[in-house]
């Protein structure tokens, strides 16, 4: 099961155009916020790290990417070192984006 | 402002700094038929709430400037009424309790489906509509001012509700109440609350106009219709076209005039005096009397058919003695007004003075109370009105049957008034020179006669008497005080 279980619910609730828009914004958010996490670690800026983790948790929560959201919330709570947290978040984010690509492909079978 | 009672078409402000969340909320809300505004910070939300006045706010708690709880506090502090739904990732009881304590009406847990959002929002909007309706009804029941009336007593609330209910209709209104209870004010309230408010309100005192002039006052006349009719003149009926015609003291109208009025009420048409030409107007009738109109019908002094034409919606104004706390509310209102007009420093009444006012019977009703407070303000000064400043008759004679205080201001018997009282519509023929052979009397005597006559004419209403005489009410009070001191008026 992908980490985008809630996306199926969104497909019922939204028009195809809105669904593409929301998932497109999610993709942008993931790329922007994982980048922000890396920058924060490089700068040893824990405040910026938590802020980016919070934003990514919210974005993941919105589309039902539960594992990614949980990892972000653990990172916000300093449950794991920042670098380790980023590693896990990166992996889960990549997985979520892959799932998203598959989901969107099913949504629109034309190349 | 959208209809807060409707669950569709509401204005919803989404306060969310995560773009995915914000776009998802926008798409879901738009799909539910709502208008949506997106903002990313608490400060932007406050600014949008001030100008856009959303029906509901979908609020994320963690925001970049200050949090959602503080935003709710600021909204409340600014009196911005809206339904706040907190959006949270945490479904714990603590979060719910904290959100509700802060003023949210509900909370919704992320991620939420369209159906969940729809139900939560509909409930919040319905609750808001109920709260708004409750506040409106409560304000109506508790109101202490209504189109110039001061008072929150139960019988006045009933009068306010009747006036409000009848205002949109064209139905004739019949106002009853003792002298001084505010019948003309009620008539004006009917007019001002009605769709006719932009047109004329024409008041005619049937009891103060000579019988032979009344028809001309109501219907107008053409040039040459009678001696002194040197030009065509419109009457009250024509002046009130599209508006309201108030016939005060309708019980004083002569029977022959009642026949003509009945025809006018039935057809909306009339002929000016001296003319055979019919004129049609659209007039709403409001009548008043201080007598029991049915008793007047039974006594043969008022036509039964006219009674049933005019007595469609009765409004009964209670006497002041039946209005409880209204006495002090009105007294304080007049004290503030007159102190400002007269340049006095009065801020209120002493407890003893208030007790005297509250326990007196006020047979002359609000008009008498108005005169008493004016009298106090003109003759005294200080921070507060003390018991010894209250007119003696009020101090010593509590009880509903006391008739003395009017005599304290002016004597009961006075010479006949020389002129008619008609507001807006002036008499057709104004008195000019003294009649030949009329004895010449000292000016001071004539002044006293005229002032006393004006007071009698207006039912001891000093401000109205002063207005007729085109002098300041203070002058009337000072003259009365001086004449009483000189023994020219009966002592109290």
């Amino acid at each position: 099961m992908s980490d985008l279980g809630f996306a199926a619910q969104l497909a019922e609730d939204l028009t195809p155009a809105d669904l593409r828009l929301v998932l497109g914004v999610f993709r942008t958010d993931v790329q922007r916020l994982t980048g922000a996490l890396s920058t924060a670690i490089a700068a040893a800026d824990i405040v910026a790290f938590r802020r980016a983790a919070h934003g990514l948790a919210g974005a993941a929560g919105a589309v039902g990417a539960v594992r990614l959201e949980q990892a972000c919330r653990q990172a916000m709570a300093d449950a794991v070192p920042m670098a380790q947290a980023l590693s896990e978040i990166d992996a889960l984010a990549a997985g979520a984006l892959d799932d998203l690509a598959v989901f969107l492909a099913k949504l629109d079978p034309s190349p | 402002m959208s209809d807060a009672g409707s669950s569709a078409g509401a204005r919803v402000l989404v306060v969310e700094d995560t773009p995915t969340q914000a776009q998802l909320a926008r798409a879901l809300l738009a799909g539910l038929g709502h208008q949506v505004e997106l903002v990313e910070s608490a400060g932007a939300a406050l600014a949008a709430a001030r100008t856009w006045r959303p029906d509901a706010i979908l609020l994320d708690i963690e925001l970049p400037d200050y949090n959602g709880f503080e935003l709710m506090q600021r909204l409340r502090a600014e009196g911005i009424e809206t339904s706040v739904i907190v959006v949270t990732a945490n479904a714990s009881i603590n979060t719910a309790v904290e959100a509700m304590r802060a003023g949210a009406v509900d909370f919704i847990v992320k991620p939420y489906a369209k159906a969940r959002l729809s139900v939560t929002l509909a409930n919040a909007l319905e609750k808001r509509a109920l709260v708004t309706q409750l506040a409106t009804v409560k304000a109506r029941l508790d109101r202490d001012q209504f189109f110039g009336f001061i008072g929150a007593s139960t019988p006045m609330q009933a009068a306010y509700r009747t006036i409000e209910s009848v205002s949109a209709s064209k139905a004739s209104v019949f106002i009853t109440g003792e002298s001084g209870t505010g019948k003309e004010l009620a008539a004006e309230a009917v007019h001002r609350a009605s769709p006719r408010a932009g047109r004329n309100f024409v008041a005619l005192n049937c009891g103060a106009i000579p019988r032979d002039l009344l028809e001309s006052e109501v219907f107008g006349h053409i040039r040459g219709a009678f001696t002194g009719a040197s030009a065509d003149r419109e009457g009250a009926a024509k002046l009130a076209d599209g508006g309201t015609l108030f016939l005060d003291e309708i019980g004083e109208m002569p029977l022959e005039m009642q026949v003509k009025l009945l025809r006018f009420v039935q057809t909306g048409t009339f002929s000016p005096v001296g003319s055979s030409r019919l004129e049609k107007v659209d007039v709403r009738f409001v009548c008043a009397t201080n007598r029991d109109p049915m008793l007047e019908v039974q006594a043969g002094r008022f036509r039964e058919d006219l009674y049933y034409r005019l007595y469609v919606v009765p409004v009964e104004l209670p006497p002041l003695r039946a209005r409880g706390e209204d006495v002090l509310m009105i007294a304080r209102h007049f004290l503030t007004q007159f102190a400002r007009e007269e340049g006095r420093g009065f801020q209120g009444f002493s407890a003893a003075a208030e007790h005297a006012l509250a326990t007196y019977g006020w047979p002359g009703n609000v008009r008498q109370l108005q005169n008493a407070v004016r009298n106090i303000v003109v003759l005294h000064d200080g921070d507060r009105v003390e018991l010894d400043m209250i007119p003696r008759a009020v101090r010593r004679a509590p009880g509903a049957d006391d008739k003395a205080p009017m005599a304290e201001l002016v004597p009961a018997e006075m010479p006949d008034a020389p002129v008619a009282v008609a507001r807006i519509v002036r008499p057709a023929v104004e008195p000019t020179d003294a009649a030949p052979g009329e004895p010449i009397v000292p000016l001071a005597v004539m002044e006293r006669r005229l002032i006393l006559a004006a007071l009698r004419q207006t039912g001891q209403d000093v401000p109205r008497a002063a207005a007729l005489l085109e002098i300041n009410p203070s002058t009337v009070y000072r003259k009365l005080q001086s004449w009483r001191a000189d023994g020219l008026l009966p002592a109290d």
Side-chain angles (χ1 to χ4, degrees), chain B residues 218-464:
Chain B
V218 177
F219 300 128
H221 62 249
I222 61 169
R223 182 182 175 194
F226 50 84
T227 306
S230 55
D232 291 359
R233 183 173 180 276
E234 290 182 340
K238 183 73 175 174
L239 291 171
D241 191 11
T244 303
L245 177 59
F246 174 48
L247 299 172
D248 199 2
E249 302 301 349
I250 185 88
E252 307 299 322
M253 184 177 277
L255 281 167
E256 62 271 20
M257 183 61 197
Q258 291 181 27
V259 179
K260 293 171 182 170
L261 180 64
L262 175 65
R263 195 177 310 122
F264 175 40
V265 174
Q266 285 173 325
T267 65
T269 61
F270 65 90
S271 298
V273 176
S275 169
S276 56
R277 175 174 45 89
L278 271 182
E279 293 195 25
K280 187 163 182 64
V281 290
D282 169 27
V283 165
R284 199 253 182 93
F285 293 94
V286 179
C287 305
T289 179
N290 58 5
R291 302 181 186 181
D292 182 331
M294 185 42 86
L295 286 179
E296 293 300 294
V297 170
Q298 288 165 356
R301 288 189 292 267
F302 198 76
R303 291 182 64 97
E304 188 173 12
D305 44 11
L306 182 60
Y307 168 82
Y308 284 115
R309 280 281 171 182
L310 295 175
Y311 199 85
V312 179
V313 180
V315 174
E316 186 180 352
L317 293 177
L320 188 54
R321 61 183 171 278
R323 293 177 55 182
E325 292 291 315
D326 286 358
V327 173
L328 294 180
M329 200 182 290
I330 296 167
R332 291 186 195 115
H333 169 81
F334 284 140
L335 184 67
T336 303
Q337 179 189 335
F338 297 152
R340 187 174 59 241
E341 288 175 12
E342 302 287 345
R344 299 291 200 259
F346 288 118
Q347 301 292 314
F349 295 90
S350 70
E354 287 197 343
H355 180 74
L357 295 174
T359 52
Y360 182 63
W362 301 108
N365 293 298
V366 178
R367 184 178 299 147
Q368 185 191 5
L369 175 58
Q370 180 183 27
N371 287 353
V373 177
R374 173 76 84 168
N375 183 294
I376 291 164
V377 172
V378 168
L379 300 178
H380 305 277
D381 198 3
D383 288 340
R384 64 179 190 172
V385 175
E386 302 293 347
L387 181 61
D388 61 5
M389 298 177 186
I390 303 281
R392 261 176 287 177
V394 175
R395 268 181 279 152
R396 74 182 180 209
D401 296 331
D402 197 312
K403 297 282 183 190
M406 301 301 274
E408 186 181 48
L409 288 175
V410 288
E413 294 301 321
M414 291 175 289
D416 287 340
V419 293
V421 175
R423 199 160 72 77
I424 298 181
V425 181
R426 285 188 297 275
V429 182
E430 295 180 359
T432 52
D433 298 334
E438 187 177 310
I440 302 299
V441 296
L443 190 57
V445 173
M446 185 57 78
E447 177 192 63
R448 189 164 64 248
R449 279 186 192 170
L450 275 172
I451 289 176
L452 296 180
L455 286 165
R456 185 181 175 190
Q457 182 75 46
T458 57
Q460 319 307 329
D461 184 338
V462 172
R464 281 179 65 205

Side-chain angles (χ1 to χ4, degrees), chain B residues 4-65:
Chain B
S6 167
S7 60
R11 286 206 282 245
V12 185
L13 180 65
V14 176
V15 190
E16 176 60 71
D17 64 335
T18 304
T20 305
Q21 290 278 8
Q23 286 303 328
L24 177 57
R26 183 205 55 74
L28 292 173
L29 289 166
L32 290 168
H34 300 302
Q35 302 172 56
V36 187
E37 284 279 326
L38 301 179
V39 291
E40 295 182 355
S41 67
L46 192 58
R50 286 181 189 131
T51 54
W52 196 53
R53 294 280 163 179
D55 298 313
I57 297 179
L58 216 53
L59 177 64
D60 185 24
I61 292 298
E62 294 296 325
L63 294 165
D65 43 2

Side-chain angles (χ1 to χ4, degrees), chain A residues 45-89:
Chain A
D45 185 346
I46 193 162
V47 174
F49 182 83
R50 284 179 186 153
R51 191 164 55 235
H54 168 74
L56 189 52
V63 296
V66 179
R67 283 177 288 163
L68 175 59
E69 182 190 1
Q70 286 171 345
C72 291
R73 297 208 182 279
Q74 283 179 342
M76 287 162 63
D78 300 330
V80 287
M82 285 196 291
Q84 185 187 330
L86 177 60
S87 172
E88 187 184 0
I89 287 169

